[in-house]
Every structure is written in structure tokens, then in C-alpha cells.
């Protein structure tokens, strides 16, 4: 496996040049690096670490694509993907998100506070608005309704992003309607979407779906896992972002983050730390995926460059 794509996209690029990203996966053999390097150098490009810059006047986008296609055929590559962020369109995504108001109680059984599952969704919307995620959001789909004066609904309306409320039941997950809404997207993001997508849906969509969940599984399942973990006195919490597969929460892992907690944490600070990890972990997973830095292999594994 070889990736010509690791320098952060914010790194300086020589004037007149563009940053190109090439993800290349093929059986191991002698000469892979040499041939890729020769291809880039012969077109006036330059390799920095394991990414490359090039002059689009000397190496037009269509020629670049053809050159790497020829290399992929020569090495019988399973995957050869090229992106030029400054020229290529952004990835189109749809976001599926639930909204559950979850009450948390103190030991004295008094209501401490409630929180919803909107934190990941709103964080994605905010990062998108700030230009910090290289995506265009096609629509937001939820199985829980939000009032029109809800902060999420107001944000979506202000930016012209359609919102679709599709209530689900155990006998109807509305998958056919969801499938129609996500057609034309490059991948789908589950921002705390508390529903299981069937194998039939995954096959029909046929593209990647990225999920986020807390890192308290499998010890704390079901409702209020944060309260369960808090009461159990855990010392380390985390978040995991992964590809969705038919096996629940078992897809190849893209990103994981952890943070220590202690006896000084209250239940509320515990939840806030957990939510912050989920937001950061999901955003980093999406960014890595869009920069072609995620390479799945061996069914349940990934290489993240």
C-alpha cells in the first residue's frame, strides 16, 4: 500500500502550483515508489514527504488522471484515486441525526439536567459554515422532529439545507425514503443517528457511511451510558468513528480519541467531556476521509496516513 497524500492541506504550496493527493493500493512488488516518483517528476511535479505539488499548466488535470490510471493498470491496483482540492468539487454528503432528550438524575433522584443528541450535528454544521470541512451538505434527515424555531432548523433554513423528518418505528425504518434522499451523495454521515441500518440498505446505497459513537461500549449499553459509566467510576472515556457495516458498531475504525476523567468530575462535566470527544472524533474522521488518508483493508482494518 502506498499513499501519496499526507501533508496537511493547509501547508504552504509553491506559487503557481497545486496540491495533488493520490491514494494508491496494489499488491506489493519492486518498483512501485520508483515508478510513482518518476511519473510525478517527469511532469514537473515535486514530492514533499509523501504528497506532491505540481503546475497545472505543465500537467493538466485530465493528463494527471490518465497517467495515474496507466500506473494503476501496470501494478494491478485495487484502488487509485486522485484528488486536487483546489480544482475538484467538494464531496456531497447527507447527515442522518436523531434528537433524543435524555434526562440525567443525581444520586438523590432529582433531575440534574437534560441533553440531546444534537451536539455532533450542530458541530458539523458549524465547521461546515466556517469552511473547516471540505464537504457540501445535501440534506439533514432525522427520525425525531424539531420545532421550526429550533436552533438546528433555523441554521438549516438560513443556509438553504433541506431538513427531512422521517419518523421511524420498529416495523418501518423508512429506509427506502432515506435511500432516495441520499442518492447523488459521495458518502453519508451518521451524527448520533440512533437507528440500525439494514444490510439491504447498505448494499443498495453502495457507498461509505461514517458513524460516531461513544467509547463506553461494550461495557455500558442501552440508555444513559454516560450515567452508567459515571456511576461505575471509569477513569478513561473516549469516542470512536468507523465505517458502517452490517455488523453493529464493528466496521473498520477511522478515528478514536480518549480523555481521562476522575472523581472530581460531576455527571454534567463527564457528559460534556464525552460529547466534546465525539464531536472532535467525527470531524477528524470526515476530514481524513475527504483527504484520502483512510485506506480500508482486510475487512475490519484501516490504514490512516
Amino acid at each position: 500500500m502506498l499513499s501519496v497524500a499526507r501533508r496537511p492541506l493547509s501547508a504552504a504550496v509553491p506559487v503557481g502550483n497545486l496540491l495533488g493527493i493520490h491514494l494508491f493500493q496494489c499488491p506489493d512488488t519492486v518498483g512501485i515508489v520508483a515508478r510513482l516518483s518518476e511519473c510525478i517528476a517527469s511532469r514537473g511535479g515535486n514530492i514533499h514527504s509523501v504528497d506532491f505539488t505540481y503546475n497545472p499548466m505543465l500537467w493538466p488535470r485530465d493528463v494527471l488522471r490518465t497517467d495515474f490510471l496507466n500506473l494503476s493498470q501496470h501494478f494491478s491496483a485495487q484502488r487509485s484515486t486522485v484528488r486536487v482540492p483546489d480544482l475538484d468539487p467538494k464531496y456531497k454528503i447527507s447527515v442522518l441525526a436523531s434528537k433524543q432528550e435524555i434526562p440525567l438524575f443525581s444520586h438523590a433522584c432529582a433531575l440534574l439536567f437534560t441533553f440531546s443528541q444534537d451536539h455532533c450535528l450542530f458541530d458539523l454544521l458549524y465547521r461546515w459554515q466556517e469552511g473547516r470541512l471540505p464537504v457540501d451538505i445535501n440534506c439533514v434527515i432525522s427520525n425525531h422532529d424539531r420545532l421550526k424555531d429550533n436552533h438546528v432548523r433555523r441554521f438549516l433554513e438560513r443556509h438553504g439545507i433541506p431538513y427531512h423528518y422521517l419518523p421511524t418505528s420498529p416495523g418501518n425504518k423508512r429506509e427506502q425514503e432515506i435511500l432516495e434522499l441520499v442518492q447523488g451523495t459521495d458518502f453519508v454521515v451518521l451524527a448520533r443517528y440512533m437507528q440500525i441500518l439494514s444490510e439491504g440498505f447498505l448494499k443498495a446505497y453502495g457507498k461509505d457511511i461514517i458513524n460516531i459513537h461513544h467509547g463506553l461500549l461494550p461495557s455500558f449499553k442501552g440508555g444513559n451510558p454516560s450515567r452508567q459509566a459515571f456511576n461505575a467510576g471509569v477513569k478513561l472515556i473516549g469516542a470512536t468513528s468507523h465505517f458502517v457495516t452490517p455488523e453493529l458498531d464493528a466496521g473498520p475504525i477511522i478515528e478514536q480519541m480518549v480523555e481521562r476523567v476522575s472523581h472530581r468530575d460531576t455527571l454534567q462535566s463527564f457528559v460534556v467531556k464525552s460529547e466534546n470527544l465525539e464531536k472532535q472524533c467525527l470531524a477528524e474522521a470526515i476530514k481524513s476521509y475527504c483527504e484520502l488518508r483512510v485506506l480500508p483493508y482486510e475487512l475490519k482494518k484501516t490504514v490512516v496516513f
Side-chain angles (χ1 to χ4, degrees), residues 15-59:
V15 176
N17 281 16
L18 293 177
L19 176 68
I21 306 171
H22 183 211
L23 183 64
F24 194 78
Q25 180 184 11
C26 69
D28 191 21
T29 187
V30 175
I32 301 172
V33 174
R35 289 293 296 270
L36 285 168
S37 301
E38 179 186 14
C39 175
I40 293 170
S42 68
R43 297 292 188 177
N46 191 28
I47 297 176
H48 300 267
S49 298
V50 288
D51 55 64
F52 69 97
T53 59
Y54 75 100
N55 189 317
M57 299 297 293
L58 300 176
W59 199 6

Side-chain angles (χ1 to χ4, degrees), residues 234 247 270 277 288 291 296:
V234 302
E247 188 177 356
F270 187 102
L277 285 173
S288 296
E291 293 177 358

Side-chain angles (χ1 to χ4, degrees), residues 185-203:
T185 58
D186 296 297
F187 64 97
V188 166
V189 174
L190 305 186
R192 298 293 286 162
Y193 187 62
M194 312 302 288
Q195 297 291 318
I196 299 173
L197 298 174
S198 70
E199 184 174 0
F201 178 91
L202 300 181
K203 288 182 178 178

Side-chain angles (χ1 to χ4, degrees), residues 107-125:
H107 291 291
C109 294
L111 180 64
L112 184 61
F113 69 104
T114 62
F115 71 99
S116 71
Q117 301 290 345
D118 268 350
H119 56 285
C120 285
L121 171 60
F122 199 69
D123 183 71
L124 289 183
L125 295 175

Side-chain angles (χ1 to χ4, degrees), residues 95 121-122 125 128 137 139-141 146 150-164:
V95 182
L121 171 60
F122 199 69
L125 295 175
W128 168 82
I137 301 175
C139 67
V140 172
I141 304 167
R146 293 167 173 80
N150 171 269
H151 62 292
V152 171
R153 292 290 297 273
R154 292 199 305 269
F155 182 99
L156 296 176
E157 185 175 344
R158 187 163 64 248
H159 292 280
I161 300 174
Y163 177 81
H164 303 281

